[in-house]
Amino acid sequence: MLRRPSGSTDEDEPLVESHVAANRPDSRDSDKKGPFSSAKFDASGHSDTLDRRKVEKALAPNQLQPPPWTATKNTIPSRTNEGQDSKTARASNTSKESGETMDITQWRRPRLRSPWKISLLTLLTTAISIVLLLSIVNSFFTRHLDPKGCKNCLMRPIFGKFEGFDTEHTRFASKYSLHLYREGGVNEDMTVDGIPVLFITGNAGSHKQVRALAAEAAHYFADKLQNDETAIGAGARSLDFFTADFNEDITAFHGQTLMDQAEYLNEAVAYILSLYVDPQRPRRDPGLPDPTSVIIVGHSMGGIVARAMLTMPNYQANSINTIVTLSTPHARPPVSFDADIVSIYSKINNYWRQAYSQKWANDNPLWHVTLVSIAGGGLDTVVPSDYSSLASLVPDTHGFTVFTSTVPGVWTGSDHLSILWCDQLRKVIVKSIYDIVDVRRPGQTKPRAERIRSFKKWLLTGMENIAEKSLATKEPTTLLTLEYSANTILPTGERLVIRELGKNGKAKAYLLPIPASQEIPPEKKFTFLTNRHLDTSSGNTNLEVLFCSVFPLHPGQSASIFSMDIDTISGSSTGSTRLACKSANSDAIHLPASTTTSNFAFDEVEPFSYLQYDVQDVSEYQFVAIVDKNTTPVNGWAIAEFSENSHSQIQTHAGLRQLLTSGLYMNLPAGRPMTTDIKIPAVHSSLLVYKLKVGVQACVDGALFAPFARQYISEPYESKYFVNIKEADINLHGVSPFMPPPLRAISLNDGLSLQMWTDPTCGTSVDLSMQVDIFGSLGKLVMRYRTVFPAIPLVVIALVLRKQFVIHDKTGIFITFSESLDLCLLSSLPVLLLAMTVFSMSLANSDPSPSRSTFFHRGNATESAIDYTKNDLLLGSQDPFFWFLIPLFGLVGAGACVAVNYAALLVVQILRLVQSAAVSASTLINGKHQRRTAGHVFSSASPRRRLLITLLLFFTISTFIPYQFAYIVACVVQLITTTRALWAAQEARSTSAYNFFNYTHSILVLMLWVLPINIPVLVVWIHNLTVHWLTPFSSHHNVLSIMPFVLLVESLTGGTMIPRVQSNFRHITNILFFILAVYAALYGVTYAYQLHHLANVICAWLVVVQLSNSGLSLSKLNQMLEGNSELGNDGHLKKRP
C-alpha cells in the first residue's frame, strides 16, 4: 500500500512505503472500524491506498531535498528512515488475477508545500482584487463629493437635571437621566411654561446635541414671536426642549439597548406631561389646556427609538403626534450583526405598515401621527441616506422624506453630525415646528393635515406635483387701475423681459393676457423669474405679481373692499381700466442665485424668486400683472412668459447602456422657453453617477443670469441645485440595494429629471451632454455594500474549508489554505458565482413597483399584497443591469481571504519567533537545554482543571457575560494553538504535524471572519460596564451559541488532529460548508448574525467527528481534554510518560 505525504500531489510528491494491511499489528481490528476512522501514519504521517496506475506513476525517480522553509537549527531525529536524503528499497510486486495486494517499498523525504507559497492564479486574483478595492476606496474619498455648505452656530447652553425622575418612575434611573435645556441670556428659568419637545440622541450620541435646535428655538421666539400678537393669538408659545442623557449608549448594534431607551422615554414622556399639571407652574396661562402630547425630534437611531416608543406596552395613547427625524435609517438597520436589532426593526416596521393599512381611521393607532424624515445626502458616511426613506412605511398623507439639499435656503448636503448644528437647516426646522404648534389644543399642535401641509411648505421646493398653491384660496385684495393704453398689455404669447426695474420713475404694470379656455393647448404653464425678493410678510414690496380679472365699478359701488389700490394713471389720461387682483407673492419659490461669479447654491447672496402655475389652475383670471413699484432704477430684472409643455419638457428614451457607451447629447434651441424639464427615466439607480456638461451660452446684450439647473427625483424628495453650471456631478438616492418596495407603485416614467433655467434673451442654443462616470460610480458601492465585506469573503472561506476536508477525507492530507484556494479558484468558486449570477438575473424585475408575496416573504397577512423582503436576497438589487456585481464582489472577497490568510500566517510566525526567543532565553538563564517533542508543545493542564475552566466559562455566559466575549477568548486561544502547531510542525517536520497546523490555521481564518459579527455586541457590553450598568442582557446568553466553538478550540489545544471520515458521513461536512457558503451569498448581508450560528453548527459537527474516533467514549473525551499525549508517527495519540 502506497502513501502520499501532506501537501503533495501526484505530479510532484514521492510515494512513501507502508506495510501491507494484512501484516500490520492492528490489522485484526480492521473489520471493527466505525464510520470515522483515524488514519495510520508511517514516517510521513499519512496513509492512502493507491491503485496500480498511481504506483507505476510514482516509481519514476525523483530526488527530493527538504524545502528551506522547514529547515531548523536543531533537527529532531525521526524514528524512521525519514531523515535520510535518499534511500532506495527493493520493490516486490506479485500480481494475481484474484487481486492480490501489491507491495512497493520506496523511502524518500516528503516535500511539503509551504503555507506561504502562492500560485500565479491566486497572485493574479489578489492583484486584481487589490486594484479594484483601492479604486473603490479612492473613488469614495475623491470623486463625486457633495460640497459642504453648513454654517456654524453659537449657543450658550444651560442644562437642568430632573432629580425627581428617579427609581420610583423608572427602573433605568441609575443609568439614564432627564434634562431641560435653557439658552443663556434668553430664558434661564427652569420652570416649564411652553410646548414640550423631546430630543432623542442617536447611536453613541450626547444629550448636549440638542443645544443647536433648542438655542435657535429660544432666540426665534424671543426675537420674532414673543411680541407678535397675531402669532401668540394663533397658539404660538416657546418650546421647552427636554433631552435624555443615555451615557452615549450604542443602539445601532444592540436591539435590547434600543428597546430599553424606548421604555425609559415613554416613562419620561409621562413625567414631562405631569410637570405641566403641577399647580405650582406660575408662568403658564391657566386658561390653556394641559398638554397631552409631546413633539419628538430624533437624530440617527433616536428616530427609531421614537417610532419604537409607540409600539411599547407602556406607551401612553396619543402622547406623541409629531416626529421629526434627522439622518435616521428607517427602512432597515445599518448593520445586521445582532439578531435583536434585525427582529426589532421588523416588528416596528410591520407595526407601522399594518397601522396604515387599516381601512378606517378608528382602527389605526397612528392616524394622528405625523412623521417627517430629513436626510443628509451623500455627505453622510455613517448611515446610507437611502435608508432614511419612508416610502415603504408611511403614506404621503402622514409623512415624507426630504433631503437637506432640497430645503429652501439650505441647498446643501450635511454629514451625520452637522445635520444637528447646520445653521441654515436648524432655522428652517425651528420655523416649521413653530408653524405647527397650537397651545390652545391639548395635543399642542394643529390637526394632522395642517401639520403635513406646513412641513411641506417649509421643507419642499414648492415645485413638486403635490405642492399646494395659496392663490386659489385667496380673495381679491388689490384694485389695480390702469391707463387705457395699448402698449400696457403685451400680445398673447409674447415674453415679458424687464432688464432694469424702476427705470420708468413711477409704478408701472405689465399685463400678460391669460389664454382663454378655448385657446389653451393640452398643457401650458406660466413662469416668472426675478432676482428681487418677493416679500410675502407684508404688502410693502416693490415688485408684485398679480392675477387679475376685470372689475367693473358700477354706480354706487365702493372700492373700499380692497386693501390696496394701485393707480398707474397719468394726469393726461383719457380712460382707465380697473382690475380686481390676487397677489401671488405668497407662492413665490426661492431659488439659489446664479450669476457669472456664483460658485455654489448655498452662497450668501439674495436668492432668486420664481413662480410657476399650470394654466388650468389660473384660467379663471384674465391677466397676469407684473407691477413694478420702484420709483428709482434698481439692479433688478424680471422675466415672465407662458410656454407650452411640449416645448419646455423633453422626454428622453436613452437607456443605461447608451449612457454607459455613447452618452446622452441634446441641444436646447435658441427659441426655447426660460425653463426646460428634461426627463431621463432610465436614470434611477443610486449606484451610478454621471457627468453633466453644459455648453457656454453666448449673449450679445449680456445675460440676465447664468444658466443653473435643479436635479430632482419625486420619491424621496431630493433636489440639488447647480448654479453657473458648466459641469456637474449627478448622483441621486433613487432605487437602492436592499430597500423594501414602496407603498405606492412607482411609475415607469419616474426617474431623474433636470430642470434647466437659461436666459432666453440670448437667442443662442445650448448644448447638453451626460455620460456615466464609471470610476466615480465605484465609490457609491461603499455605503450601499459596506456589510458585503464580512459576508462575501465567508463564501470563499467556506468553499476553501470544504475543499480541504474533501481532500483530507479522501487522501488523509490536509492541504494548506492557499493550495485549497487555488483549487477553488479553478472550480467551485467560479461555478458558485456563476450560479448566483444566473439566479439574480432570474429574479430581476425591471418594474420596481411592489410585487406580490413570494416564497421568501415573512410578513403578516395585512401586508400580503407587497413583499417587503424581496430585495433581501443576494446583493439586494433586482435590476439585471448590475449582474456583474456578484463576480466583482466575489473577486474582491477572494483577494480579501488571501490577505487575511497571509496576515494570520504573519502573526502566527511572529508569535512563533517570540516563543522561540523566550525558550532560548530561558535556556540561557537556566543553563539547561531540554528538547521538547511535538506533543509537549501543546496544553499540559490537568483534565480536571481544563474541564472546570470550561464549565465556569459556560456558567458565566449563561448568567452574566454575553457569548460574544467567550468567542473573543476562543479566537485568542485558537491563535495560540495555531502558533504551537507551527512550532510542532517545524520541530517534528512530519506530515501529521503539518496536517494539524494546516487544520488549526484554517479554523483560525474562519473564526477571524466571523469575529466582526460578534464585536459590536461585545462593545455594547463593555460600554455598559464602564457606566456601572451591571444588569445582564436579556439576550446573548445562550450557551449553545458558543459551546461548539469552545469545545472545538479546547480539543485542538491538546494537539488532536481530526480523523478522516471515510464513510458516507463525510458528505455531511461537505454539505454543511456548502450551506454556509450559499447562505452567506444569499442572506449574508441582510441576516449577517446567522453566519455565526451556521459556523457554530459546523464546529459542532467537527467536535462530533473528533469525538467519534473513539466511539464517543468518556475515557477518550477525558484523554482529549487532558492533552497528556503526543502525536506518534502513526498519527495516534501516545501517552506521555
Side-chain angles (χ1 to χ4, degrees):
M1 189 180 300
L2 297 180
R3 315 297 169 89
R4 191 165 44 204
S6 173
S8 63
T9 62
D10 291 339
E11 290 77 16
D12 60 358
E13 301 292 351
L15 298 176
V16 185
E17 178 198 82
S18 69
H19 295 287
V20 180
N23 297 329
R24 290 177 179 169
D26 57 344
S27 61
R28 62 184 181 273
D29 299 328
S30 60
D31 295 335
K32 301 180 181 179
K33 289 183 179 179
F36 309 109
S37 62
S38 178
K40 301 292 183 179
F41 292 91
D42 62 0
S44 66
H46 171 66
S47 66
D48 185 21
T49 303
L50 302 179
D51 57 19
R52 180 185 301 272
R53 287 172 296 179
K54 293 183 179 180
V55 173
E56 293 173 353
K57 183 177 181 179
L59 291 179
N62 186 11
Q63 188 71 22
L64 300 174
Q65 298 296 331
W69 72 277
T70 59
T72 57
K73 185 174 181 181
N74 298 320
T75 304
I76 300 177
S78 173
R79 294 189 180 94
T80 66
N81 295 332
E82 188 178 359
Q84 300 178 9
D85 292 337
S86 175
K87 188 172 183 178
T88 58
R90 291 172 298 178
S92 61
N93 184 11
T94 56
S95 179
K96 299 182 179 179
E97 292 182 0
S98 59
E100 296 179 351
T101 306
M102 174 176 47
D103 252 350
I104 297 179
T105 305
Q106 181 180 2
W107 298 90
R108 300 260 181 109
R109 180 187 303 279
R111 187 177 66 182
L112 303 175
R113 171 167 173 159
S114 167
W116 291 93
K117 185 177 180 180
I118 185 171
S119 68
L120 181 61
L121 175 61
T122 304
L123 183 63
L124 181 62
T125 302
T126 306
I128 296 175
S129 174
I130 292 175
V131 170
L132 283 174
L133 191 58
L134 291 178
S135 299
I136 292 173
V137 173
N138 181 66
S139 174
F140 175 71
F141 285 106
T142 62
R143 303 293 291 270
H144 286 261
L145 302 179
D146 294 339
K148 299 180 179 180
C150 281
K151 304 172 188 175
N152 291 323
C153 54
L154 298 177
M155 300 83 64
R156 288 184 289 178
I158 300 175
F159 290 94
K161 182 179 178 181
F162 289 96
E163 300 291 349
F165 190 50
D166 52 18
T167 54
E168 294 184 1
H169 297 86
T170 175
R171 64 189 180 100
F172 298 102
S174 61
K175 183 180 182 183
Y176 304 143
S177 57
L178 185 66
H179 300 260
L180 175 67
Y181 180 91
R182 290 303 188 209
E183 178 68 6
V186 179
N187 180 12
E188 300 182 6
D189 191 347
M190 290 297 170
T191 304
V192 294
D193 61 344
I195 298 173
V197 180
L198 176 61
F199 175 80
I200 306 176
T201 187
N203 179 62
S206 169
H207 69 286
K208 297 180 180 180
Q209 291 174 328
V210 70
R211 57 186 182 266
L213 284 172
E216 175 61 24
H219 282 284
Y220 184 77
F221 180 79
D223 298 340
K224 300 291 184 181
L225 301 179
Q226 190 171 16
N227 299 320
D228 187 344
E229 295 181 1
T230 303
I232 297 299
R237 293 293 187 276
S238 63
L239 301 180
D240 294 331
F241 268 90
F242 299 85
T243 180
D245 182 6
F246 292 130
N247 287 309
E248 300 182 357
D249 255 351
I250 302 174
T251 52
F253 302 149
H254 193 236
Q256 186 56 47
T257 300
L258 188 151
M259 299 306 289
D260 289 347
Q261 290 188 3
E263 179 184 343
Y264 173 82
L265 289 175
N266 274 330
E267 294 161 345
V269 167
Y271 179 79
I272 290 171
L273 294 177
S274 68
L275 297 175
Y276 293 85
V277 187
D278 189 347
Q280 304 190 2
R281 46 183 172 88
R283 297 180 57 185
R284 187 172 174 87
D285 187 351
L288 297 176
D290 295 328
T292 60
S293 181
V294 174
I295 299 173
I296 301 291
V297 178
H299 172 242
S300 186
M301 294 300 294
I304 299 299
V305 174
R307 291 178 52 218
M309 292 170 64
L310 281 76
T311 68
M312 299 290 290
N314 67 336
Y315 170 66
Q316 182 176 326
N318 300 327
S319 61
I320 298 174
N321 63 18
T322 302
I323 302 175
V324 178
T325 65
L326 306 172
S327 295
T328 295
H330 289 286
R332 59 181 290 113
V335 292
S336 58
F337 294 163
D338 178 39
D340 285 349
I341 199 73
V342 176
S343 174
I344 289 170
Y345 253 86
S346 178
K347 292 179 181 177
I348 295 173
N349 289 347
N350 287 339
Y351 178 85
W352 281 66
R353 289 168 183 150
Q354 183 178 3
Y356 288 118
S357 67
Q358 301 300 318
K359 182 178 181 180
W360 304 106
N362 293 336
D363 298 329
N364 182 4
L366 305 178
W367 179 255
H368 64 289
V369 177
T370 299
L371 177 60
V372 177
S373 175
I374 303 176
L379 291 179
D380 191 343
T381 57
V382 176
V383 173
S385 290
D386 310 274
Y387 293 0
S388 297
S389 175
L390 300 175
S392 64
L393 299 170
V394 179
D396 294 339
T397 55
H398 290 74
F400 60 92
T401 305
V402 63
F403 284 72
T404 58
S405 58
T406 306
V407 180
V410 180
W411 298 321
T412 179
S414 59
D415 60 46
H416 199 67
L417 293 179
S418 67
I419 199 171
L420 286 169
W421 53 258
C422 184
D423 188 53
Q424 308 99 301
L425 179 62
R426 68 168 185 156
K427 290 179 179 178
V428 177
I429 294 176
V430 167
K431 291 177 182 178
S432 66
I433 292 178
Y434 273 116
D435 198 28
I436 68 167
V437 298
D438 187 353
V439 75
R440 301 168 299 176
R441 300 170 59 90
Q444 304 295 287
T445 60
K446 296 177 182 178
R448 176 192 52 79
E450 294 185 30
R451 275 179 274 143
I452 283 290
R453 188 179 299 112
S454 296
F455 278 126
K456 289 181 177 179
K457 179 186 70 174
W458 286 102
L459 300 177
L460 301 186
T461 65
M463 293 176 283
E464 293 81 7
N465 294 330
I466 62 165
E468 297 182 2
K469 306 293 185 180
S470 62
L471 182 65
T473 61
K474 291 183 176 181
E475 294 295 331
T477 57
T478 303
L479 179 63
L480 179 62
T481 305
L482 301 174
E483 181 179 359
Y484 187 75
S485 174
N487 58 11
T488 304
I489 303 175
L490 276 69
T492 301
E494 184 174 330
R495 177 185 297 121
L496 171 65
V497 179
I498 305 175
R499 288 189 170 271
E500 186 179 4
L501 295 173
K503 68 177 181 179
N504 295 314
K506 65 174 183 177
K508 183 176 178 59
Y510 303 88
L511 268 65
L512 282 75
I514 298 175
S517 58
Q518 63 270 19
E519 299 177 5
I520 298 178
E523 291 183 356
K524 207 168 189 178
K525 65 182 179 181
F526 167 77
T527 54
F528 172 82
L529 182 67
T530 180
N531 64 340
R532 306 298 294 179
H533 181 63
L534 296 180
D535 190 2
T536 59
S537 60
S538 66
N540 300 323
T541 177
N542 291 326
L543 182 64
E544 193 163 11
V545 179
L546 305 173
F547 283 82
C548 307
S549 300
V550 175
F551 180 76
L553 189 59
H554 300 287
Q557 185 178 6
S558 174
S560 61
I561 60 174
F562 299 100
S563 61
M564 184 180 298
D565 188 355
I566 302 177
D567 193 349
T568 61
I569 300 177
S570 60
S572 59
S573 176
T574 59
S576 64
T577 301
R578 296 175 183 268
L579 301 177
C581 303
K582 298 180 182 180
S583 176
N585 283 21
S586 60
D587 289 335
I589 299 168
H590 286 172
L591 297 178
S594 179
T595 64
T596 54
T597 60
S598 299
N599 294 316
F600 301 105
F602 49 80
D603 291 341
E604 296 186 47
V605 293
E606 185 177 355
F608 289 173
S609 296
Y610 179 69
L611 288 171
Q612 177 177 299
Y613 293 96
D614 290 332
V615 173
Q616 291 85 347
D617 297 333
V618 296
S619 59
E620 62 180 288
Y621 310 103
Q622 294 173 295
F623 297 97
V624 178
I626 313 299
V627 182
D628 178 12
K629 301 179 185 178
N630 295 281
T631 58
T632 58
V634 295
N635 183 21
W637 50 264
I639 301 176
E641 67 178 4
F642 286 93
S643 60
E644 296 183 7
N645 286 350
S646 59
H647 297 160
S648 62
Q649 291 187 359
I650 301 175
Q651 184 83 16
T652 65
H653 302 284
L656 287 179
R657 289 178 178 83
Q658 178 182 340
L659 291 170
L660 187 64
T661 55
S662 59
L664 174 66
Y665 299 90
M666 62 183 64
N667 177 269
L668 303 181
R672 66 190 176 277
M674 176 180 61
T675 305
T676 304
D677 277 339
I678 304 171
K679 306 287 186 180
I680 314 176
V683 178
H684 56 260
S685 174
S686 62
L687 297 178
L688 296 177
V689 298
Y690 307 84
K691 277 288 186 181
L692 174 66
K693 295 183 179 180
V694 180
V696 178
Q697 185 180 16
C699 282
V700 178
D701 298 331
L704 297 177
F705 62 93
F708 64 103
R710 168 187 169 234
Q711 160 208 328
Y712 69 95
I713 55 177
S714 58
E715 184 59 53
Y717 297 116
E718 181 186 22
S719 295
K720 292 183 182 179
Y721 294 92
F722 306 96
V723 297
N724 192 19
I725 184 172
K726 298 180 180 65
E727 289 189 0
D729 294 332
I730 305 296
N731 56 81
L732 62 151
H733 294 82
V735 179
S736 303
F738 304 110
M739 289 292 291
L743 297 175
R744 178 181 61 87
I746 299 176
S747 171
L748 293 176
N749 293 325
D750 288 346
L752 178 70
S753 296
L754 295 174
Q755 191 171 8
M756 298 285 303
W757 286 270
T758 55
D759 190 346
T761 65
C762 291
T764 57
S765 61
V766 177
D767 293 326
L768 300 177
S769 65
M770 192 173 75
Q771 197 164 13
V772 177
D773 185 355
I774 299 177
F775 183 69
S777 299
L778 291 177
K780 299 304 174 183
L781 298 176
V782 175
M783 291 302 298
R784 276 78 181 187
Y785 289 110
R786 292 179 303 172
T787 52
V788 162
F789 295 100
I792 296 300
L794 203 56
V795 176
V796 182
I797 291 176
L799 294 178
V800 169
L801 279 162
R802 170 183 168 273
K803 178 65 68 174
Q804 287 179 302
F805 275 96
V806 167
I807 294 178
H808 175 253
D809 291 336
K810 288 183 178 179
T811 67
I813 303 172
F814 205 94
I815 61 177
T816 64
F817 187 92
S818 58
E819 185 176 359
S820 179
L821 180 59
D822 293 341
L823 299 176
C824 291
L825 290 176
L826 291 173
S827 56
S828 56
L829 183 58
V831 172
L832 182 59
L833 293 178
L834 178 61
M836 289 193 302
T837 303
V838 173
F839 180 61
S840 67
M841 295 183 69
S842 67
L843 294 177
N845 182 9
S846 58
D847 182 7
S849 60
S851 64
R852 295 290 174 180
S853 297
T854 64
F855 172 77
F856 300 100
H857 178 53
R858 300 183 179 89
N860 54 46
T862 60
E863 58 190 44
S864 59
I866 301 177
D867 178 13
Y868 293 104
T869 64
K870 72 174 188 177
N871 291 329
D872 290 349
L873 283 169
L874 292 171
L875 297 181
S877 175
Q878 296 202 5
D879 192 338
F881 180 82
F882 297 103
W883 63 267
F884 59 87
L885 289 180
I886 292 178
L888 184 146
F889 282 117
L891 191 62
V892 173
C897 290
V898 174
V900 171
N901 172 47
Y902 285 104
L905 283 174
L906 180 62
V907 172
V908 169
Q909 187 66 43
I910 292 174
L911 293 178
R912 164 70 181 97
L913 295 176
V914 171
Q915 188 180 30
S916 178
V919 172
S920 300
S922 176
T923 301
L924 292 176
I925 294 174
N926 298 330
K928 182 179 180 181
H929 178 73
Q930 181 179 0
R931 183 182 301 278
R932 300 187 66 182
T933 63
H936 288 82
V937 171
F938 298 101
S939 176
S940 59
S942 65
R944 180 176 300 177
R945 179 181 177 184
R946 293 168 64 188
L947 182 60
L948 288 177
I949 292 175
T950 303
L951 293 178
L952 178 63
L953 179 62
F954 289 155
F955 175 76
T956 54
I957 291 172
S958 63
T959 56
F960 180 65
I961 67 173
Y963 69 78
Q964 287 83 359
F965 177 82
Y967 186 85
I968 301 293
V969 174
C971 288
V972 174
V973 173
Q974 183 63 19
L975 177 62
I976 297 174
T977 301
T978 306
T979 303
R980 291 175 173 176
L982 177 62
W983 187 3
Q986 292 179 346
E987 291 289 333
R989 299 176 64 189
S990 65
T991 304
S992 58
Y994 278 108
N995 277 351
F996 183 70
F997 167 70
N998 294 337
Y999 173 50
T1000 56
H1001 172 74
S1002 296
I1003 296 297
L1004 175 64
V1005 173
L1006 173 64
M1007 295 180 67
L1008 290 178
W1009 271 114
V1010 180
L1011 180 62
I1013 301 174
N1014 293 276
I1015 287 180
V1017 174
L1018 182 63
V1019 171
V1020 175
W1021 180 70
I1022 294 175
H1023 172 268
N1024 284 350
L1025 294 181
T1026 60
V1027 298
H1028 309 292
W1029 182 254
L1030 305 180
T1031 303
F1033 291 157
S1034 61
S1035 57
H1036 308 294
H1037 293 289
N1038 188 354
V1039 176
L1040 296 179
S1041 297
I1042 193 62
M1043 180 182 292
F1045 277 111
V1046 173
L1047 293 180
L1048 179 63
V1049 169
E1050 179 65 21
S1051 67
L1052 293 178
T1053 59
T1056 306
M1057 179 61 185
I1058 190 170
R1060 295 169 59 185
V1061 182
Q1062 295 178 303
S1063 66
N1064 289 333
F1065 285 103
R1066 69 181 183 275
H1067 299 302
I1068 297 180
T1069 310
N1070 191 345
I1071 292 173
L1072 288 177
F1073 278 111
F1074 185 76
I1075 290 175
L1076 175 61
V1078 172
Y1079 190 90
L1082 293 180
Y1083 287 106
V1085 176
T1086 305
Y1087 306 102
Y1089 66 90
Q1090 294 285 14
L1091 300 178
H1092 168 92
H1093 300 297
L1094 288 175
N1096 192 52
V1097 172
I1098 292 176
C1099 290
W1101 170 249
L1102 296 180
V1103 170
V1104 171
V1105 174
Q1106 194 96 26
L1107 297 176
S1108 65
N1109 190 34
S1110 58
L1112 297 175
S1113 65
L1114 294 178
S1115 59
K1116 188 65 178 183
L1117 175 61
N1118 181 66
Q1119 182 184 9
M1120 186 177 65
L1121 288 175
E1122 180 182 0
N1124 203 19
S1125 57
E1126 64 180 56
L1127 289 172
N1129 286 337
D1130 58 354
H1132 278 149
L1133 290 171
K1134 292 191 175 181
K1135 210 57 175 170
R1136 290 204 301 262

